[in-house]
């Protein structure tokens, strides 16, 4: 159903990110979007992030407290009060209301200060304490935003998601329990929606069954919106961010990049993984599983249709030319690690031990390739951990190296992983050929290749200096197909 059609009993969840609530102008703009949307969607639940920069400020303050930097704590307290206070001044017109909200925000700032002072004394911060501190940004922003919305004439209240989202105790990356979350969310939000109020809900946070605050992981407000949308249930979830949806490439690298009107969940999963930063990767599962429509739109260009995420079936239509390759992205600052040796041929367990060694360093691996000769295994790791990974591998394979079953364990210079995404690749022969001839013509040397078995993406490794050139020339294939 198009958004313009009246859908009075339908429910919408939308989420505004940090930049969309980070200044008086942004808040005024977000309020206008909410008010415009209410005409078509009177049942509207809004999830918001902390104001831009606030979560970093809080966590940075806590980290410095572990180093005993006491003076920094008061500086951060002042910055937090100033940041929220100056915005409240502009967006909450009623003085009494403004003072009340600033009083509540100041209490939360006190929680920051006292927790950090305790951390400074102890010299360490537990993950639990870090979550308490990280949660404060959203707990402050919902109060301010909800009051601003009321000030603009729309009935609203704020809700802390500790009352809605029940999680396990895995601090900093908590998992929601959907059963209890469904019960709690409905019990709290349905009456608010029924009264015609717009609940402003904290993104990012939840609570364990004993009530202790947890967070869902950095950037987790998107995920919060998806969880709340899935359990309400909402008919659609709209993520308002600061770009025009999912683009064919990062516009900072490729100014000609265009918005993709539509992309499948599987394709966007590849993109999210590869740093498109548009959507938190965990956002997808709750909405796909509940069959809820997901849309990504730009707060600063609200009339732009943005990108709609659709199911993989594509309504049974075969992809046409322009859908074969949809987007190209890069993960920068990687190194390739290679383990090579003739003695590895046919020996089971080498890969398991190799990745066991990598895992022991706490590193996750974005790309792996092995040639069928079995004489080398090659994978990518971030530049900053390459040395650590290398010594873990040398230690694990000490014996094999001594008897020359393994000849060499080594890393390349800095490389980038370029990923080309498009589900049409599956049914279209020759796409890989086109990709490689394009790069060949540009003089870009490909060091390693991996294709996911889903055939939704192909990843290529190139030396760091070739990154821009590779992305730009591959993006030309996308543009040429659109003509
Ligand atoms: N405020 C949190 C963060 O900065 C969550 C979010 O913005 O999505 O990670
Ligand atoms: Mg974000």
């Amino acid at each position: 159903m198009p958004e313009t059609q009246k859908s009075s009993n339908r429910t919408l969840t939308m989420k505004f990110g940090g930049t969309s609530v980070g200044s008086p102008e942004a808040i005024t703009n977000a309020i206008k979007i909410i008010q415009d949307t209410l005409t078509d969607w009177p049942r509207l639940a809004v999830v918001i992030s902390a104001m831009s920069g606030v979560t970093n400020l809080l966590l940075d303050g806590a980290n410095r407290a572990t180093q005993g930097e006491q003076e920094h704590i008061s500086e951060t307290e002042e910055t937090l009060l100033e940041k929220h206070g100056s915005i409240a001044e502009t967006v909450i017109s009623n003085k009494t209301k403004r003072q009340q909200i600033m009083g509540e925000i100041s209490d939360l700032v006190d929680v920051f200060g006292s927790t950090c002072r305790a951390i400074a004394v102890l010299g360490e911060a537990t993950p639990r304490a870090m979550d308490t501190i990280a949660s404060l940004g959203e707990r402050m922003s919902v109060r301010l935003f909800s009051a601003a919305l009321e000030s603009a004439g729309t009935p609203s209240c704020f809700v802390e998601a500790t009352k809605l989202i029940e999680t396990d105790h895995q601090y900093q990356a908590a998992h929601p329990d959907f059963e209890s979350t469904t019960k709690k969310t409905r019990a709290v939000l349905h009456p608010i929606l029924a009264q015609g109020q717009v609940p402003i809900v904290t993104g990012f946070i939840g609570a364990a069954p004993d009530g202790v605050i947890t967070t869902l992981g950095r950037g987790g407000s998107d995920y919060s919106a998806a969880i709340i949308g899935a359990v309400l249930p909402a008919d659609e979830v709209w993520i308002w961010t600061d770009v025009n949806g999912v683009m064919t490439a990062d516009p900072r690298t490729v100014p000609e990049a265009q918005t993709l009107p539509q992309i499948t969940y599987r394709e966007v999963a590849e993109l999210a993984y590869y740093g498109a930063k548009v959507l938190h990767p965990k956002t997808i599962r709750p909405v796909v599983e509940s069959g809820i429509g997901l849309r990504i739109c730009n707060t600063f260009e609200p009339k732009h249709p943005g990108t709609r995420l659709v199911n993989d079936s594509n309504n049974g239509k075969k992809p046409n030319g322009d859908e074969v390759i949809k987007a190209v992205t890069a993960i920068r600052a990687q190194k390739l690690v290679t383990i090579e040796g003739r003695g590895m041929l046919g020996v089971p367990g080498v890969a398991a031990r190799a990745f066991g060694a990598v895992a022991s360093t706490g590193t996750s691996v974005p790309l792996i390739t092995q040639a069928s000769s079995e004489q080398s295994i090659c994978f990518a790791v971030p530049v900053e951990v390459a040395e650590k990974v290398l010594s873990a591998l040398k230690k694990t394979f000490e014996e094999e190296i001594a008897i020359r079953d393994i000849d060499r364990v080594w890393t390349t210079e800095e490389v980038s992983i370029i990923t080309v995404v498009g589900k049409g690749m599956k049914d279209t022969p020759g796409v890989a050929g086109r990709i490689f001839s394009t790069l060949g013509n540009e003089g870009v040397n490909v060091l390693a290749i991996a294709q996911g078995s889903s055939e939704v993406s192909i990843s290529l490794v190139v030396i760091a200096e070739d990154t821009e050139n590779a992305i730009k020339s591959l993006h030309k294939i996308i543009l040429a197909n659109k003509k």
Side-chain angles (χ1 to χ4, degrees), residues 141-162:
S141 69
V142 289
R143 288 171 163 79
L144 202 159
F145 192 91
S146 174
L149 186 56
E150 286 233 288
S151 188
T154 302
S156 170
C157 61
F158 71 83
V159 178
E160 296 198 7
T162 44

Side-chain angles (χ1 to χ4, degrees), residues 15 17-18 49 218-222 241 277-278:
K15 176 252 169 180
S49 295
R218 290 306 307 270
S221 294
D222 294 346
T241 174
K277 301 244 165 67
V278 182

Side-chain angles (χ1 to χ4, degrees), residues 22-64:
S23 67
E25 300 75 41
I27 290 179
T28 309
N29 193 34
I31 288 175
K32 168 102 175 47
I33 291 173
I34 290 174
Q35 293 177 332
D36 287 348
T37 310
L38 278 170
T39 349
D40 298 320
W41 298 86
R43 286 169 58 86
L44 174 62
V46 176
V47 173
I48 68 168
S49 295
M51 283 169 42
S52 54
V54 169
T55 311
N56 285 342
L57 204 63
L58 292 163
L59 291 174
D60 183 49
N63 282 322
R64 292 175 71 164

Side-chain angles (χ1 to χ4, degrees), residues 95-378:
K95 193 170 166 211
T96 321
K97 184 74 187 174
R98 190 164 67 233
Q99 281 169 345
Q100 179 211 325
I101 296 296
M102 281 317 293
E104 291 179 27
I105 288 178
S106 150
D107 289 345
L108 293 167
V109 171
D110 287 347
V111 174
F112 167 81
S114 53
T115 315
C116 281
R117 284 184 186 94
I119 289 172
V121 172
L122 294 170
E124 68 171 346
T126 59
R128 172 177 167 162
M130 287 308 260
D131 270 2
T132 300
I133 289 174
S135 76
L136 296 167
E138 272 72 8
R139 295 172 67 201
M140 294 192 261
S141 69
V142 289
R143 288 171 163 79
L144 202 159
F145 192 91
S146 174
L149 186 56
E150 286 233 288
S151 188
T154 302
S156 170
C157 61
F158 71 83
V159 178
E160 296 198 7
T162 44
K163 297 206 185 85
L164 313 181
I165 299 178
E166 185 173 311
T167 71
D168 57 14
H169 277 100
Q170 198 168 329
Y171 298 109
Q172 300 179 314
H175 303 284
D177 172 337
F178 276 92
E179 221 181 280
S180 43
T181 299
T182 303
K183 280 195 207 116
K184 290 184 168 182
T185 303
R186 289 182 185 173
V188 176
L189 294 188
H190 282 181
I192 298 174
L193 294 170
Q195 280 166 29
Q197 284 194 322
V198 178
I200 305 296
V201 184
T202 54
F204 187 44
I205 72 175
D210 55 7
V212 180
I213 297 179
T214 56
T215 69
L216 306 174
R218 290 306 307 270
S221 294
D222 294 346
Y223 187 29
S224 307
I227 296 167
I228 289 165
V231 303
L232 265 176
D235 295 280
E236 295 198 4
V237 174
W238 295 0
I239 307 285
W240 290 96
T241 174
D242 51 8
V243 292
N244 284 332
V246 182
M247 303 190 74
T248 50
D250 186 333
R252 284 167 301 186
T253 313
V254 185
E256 313 80 61
Q258 297 176 359
T259 297
L260 290 159
Q262 164 169 321
I263 188 166
T264 69
Y265 289 117
R266 218 179 310 151
E267 289 168 326
V268 89
E270 300 282 330
L271 281 174
Y273 187 71
Y274 282 99
K277 301 244 165 67
V278 182
L279 196 64
H280 191 285
K282 283 188 180 167
T283 314
I284 296 167
R285 176 171 288 177
V287 287
V288 174
E289 285 178 355
S290 335
I292 293 169
L294 184 62
R295 200 181 142 199
I296 302 167
C297 11
N298 186 352
T299 1
F300 303 104
E301 219 181 298
K303 294 273 176 284
H304 193 289
T307 301
R308 274 200 178 271
L309 276 83
V310 295
N311 261 319
D312 292 313
S313 69
N314 205 15
N315 309 326
K317 268 187 280 168
K318 231 184 123 54
N320 52 33
D322 65 352
E323 283 176 326
V324 175
I325 300 181
K326 275 195 177 156
V328 51
T329 59
I331 314 186
R332 294 164 203 263
Q334 303 286 309
K335 279 190 174 185
L336 283 180
V337 180
T338 306
I339 307 170
E340 65 187 16
R342 276 171 289 270
M344 286 161 60
L345 178 67
V347 181
V350 175
R353 284 168 59 208
F355 290 111
V358 178
S360 75
T361 66
T363 304
S364 84
V365 174
L367 174 136
I368 306 170
T369 64
Q370 180 182 25
S372 64
S373 72
E374 289 188 47
Q375 294 184 22
S376 73
I377 301 174
C378 168

